[in-house]
Amino acid sequence: MAEVAARAGVTKQTVSNVVAGKKVRPETLTKVNTAIAELGYKPNLVARSLRTGTTSTVGLFVPSVANPFYSEVVEEVENVLVGHGYNLLLATTRDDPDYTRAHLENLAARSVDALLVAGDKGVVQQVPMLTAADFPVALFAWEGDPPTTLPVVSIDYEHAGFLAGRHLRELGHRNVAVIADLPSHAPRVGGLRRAFAADGLAIDDRKVFTRTSDDAAGGYNAACAALDADPDLTALFATHDVLAVGAIEAVLRSGRRVPEDVSVVGFDDIAQVGRINPALTTVTFPKREMAQQAVELLLRAVDSGRPPTNVISLLRPTLTIRDSSAPPRATA
């Protein structure tokens, strides 16, 4: 630090202020950062933590990084944190309340500055523990009934399902089956049903198939069951994209074409579905905006030393139309 101060022509205290993120004059900040880069200076993070009472680390809980949606969430959150000079500590809950509790206890020992929790499966039971945490906590991509004790940044999942249903109705589809992760994705299915109900049509419970697993095989098996139960189906809606990828495979292996014989619509808009053949029509999440809002909400609480405001921010999804959906084929 003394060498950086000498190179920049400032005091050691000024260098310390820059490293700690405190406000200094812009020209001073430039000189100190230039000296840091030239000398390869790396602050002692442990010492800084003891001195400032902060760790510059935010924890993030996700159900799994095997799910591409959550992998993309991790990247978006990390990008925002790095832009604010923070590090990311990642843990997976595996949709298991006991895992969640264990991670919470570990985070308390590691003294993170804040925690962001993505997804609600396996977490709902731990809301009281999250509320009582010694650091700010926010919930992200929360689909169930939001708690009143913590801030939530998410999307309107019911409206997202409605967008998918309205698209299928505008194309003229009437005979549709659903591949769903239930009960977790009930709002998505409810939105789809609302779109059909607006035209006086109902989606019977017998047309809703619960996936056996969250991977493409789960979507494949559920789609096979749907097509076997009703060979005249003209469309499939999957409540997340990985299931939709399996559904497309099931349709193609049955000798049908997508979308000429059966349209397929997904949910999440993960990166890979724009590159498959046919490219998937899907509901798109504003992941970057969600990450930005959630992280900045937490960091404002860290900076102020006060709990975050218990807001519920629901962002609007959009529909991305690609090649996997089309009007139903006319029948004789």
Side-chain angles (χ1 to χ4, degrees):
M1 187 176 287
E3 292 175 7
V4 171
R7 175 71 66 95
V10 299
T11 65
K12 284 175 60 177
Q13 183 59 50
T14 299
V15 176
S16 178
N17 289 342
V18 170
V19 170
K22 295 181 180 178
K23 190 171 183 178
V24 298
R25 289 185 299 175
E27 59 269 26
T28 301
L29 179 64
T30 300
K31 287 194 296 184
V32 172
N33 281 335
T34 300
I36 286 173
E38 290 174 349
L39 295 172
Y41 171 64
K42 301 211 178 292
N44 185 322
L45 297 180
V46 174
R48 184 173 72 181
S49 174
L50 292 171
R51 184 174 64 254
T52 64
T54 64
T55 62
S56 295
T57 300
V58 171
L60 172 63
F61 286 0
V62 297
S64 169
V65 290
N67 183 322
F69 171 76
Y70 288 111
S71 297
E72 293 175 15
V73 164
V74 170
E75 288 190 4
E76 294 293 354
V77 170
E78 186 173 42
N79 288 340
V80 178
L81 284 173
V82 168
H84 287 275
Y86 276 74
N87 303 304
L88 175 68
L89 181 63
L90 177 66
T92 58
T93 62
R94 307 185 189 185
D95 298 334
D96 186 325
D98 293 332
Y99 257 88
T100 305
R101 172 174 284 276
H103 284 317
L104 277 170
E105 292 169 350
N106 288 335
L107 282 188
R110 290 174 180 266
S111 300
V112 296
D113 291 339
L115 172 64
L116 182 60
V117 180
D120 51 8
K121 291 173 67 176
V123 178
V124 174
Q125 300 89 331
Q126 307 304 343
V127 165
M129 190 174 179
L130 290 166
T131 303
D134 292 331
F135 40 75
V137 177
L139 308 178
F140 179 91
W142 190 273
E143 187 159 358
D145 292 333
T148 58
T149 53
L150 292 167
V152 177
V153 178
S154 191
I155 72 158
D156 187 337
Y157 284 93
E158 196 275 346
H159 181 69
F162 176 81
L163 292 179
R166 186 175 65 184
H167 172 64
L168 290 173
R169 283 299 303 131
E170 288 174 346
L171 290 174
H173 290 280
R174 302 171 64 90
N175 192 8
V176 175
V178 180
I179 300 167
D181 176 3
L182 292 175
S184 298
H185 293 170
R188 311 179 191 200
V189 179
L192 182 86
R193 280 179 153 149
R194 180 164 66 89
F196 275 70
D199 292 333
L201 300 172
I203 298 177
D204 190 274
D205 286 345
R206 290 172 295 180
K207 292 291 183 71
V208 179
F209 295 80
T210 302
R211 92 289 180 266
T212 54
S213 60
D214 269 335
D215 54 11
Y220 176 87
N221 292 333
C224 286
L227 292 166
D228 288 344
D230 186 352
D232 295 326
L233 284 175
T234 65
L236 291 166
F237 168 61
T239 60
H240 67 71
D241 283 344
V242 175
L243 296 178
V245 170
I248 287 176
E249 182 183 359
V251 173
L252 297 177
R253 287 197 178 190
S254 74
R256 299 171 175 88
R257 298 166 297 168
V258 177
E260 292 85 354
D261 300 314
V262 180
S263 290
V264 179
V265 176
F267 199 107
D268 288 342
D269 198 18
I270 58 176
Q272 73 189 77
V273 299
R275 300 190 296 267
I276 63 174
N277 185 23
L280 183 67
T281 294
T282 186
V283 179
T284 300
F285 281 42
K287 301 184 190 77
R288 183 166 301 171
E289 186 180 353
M290 290 168 67
Q292 188 87 29
Q293 277 199 24
V295 169
E296 290 183 352
L297 181 151
L298 283 177
L299 296 188
R300 282 196 300 271
V302 172
D303 290 341
S304 68
R306 296 191 299 271
T309 305
N310 289 345
V311 298
I312 298 177
S313 176
L314 295 182
L315 305 183
R316 300 290 275 185
T318 56
L319 184 73
T320 300
I321 300 173
R322 298 194 180 100
D323 302 331
S324 68
S325 58
R329 186 159 53 93
T331 56

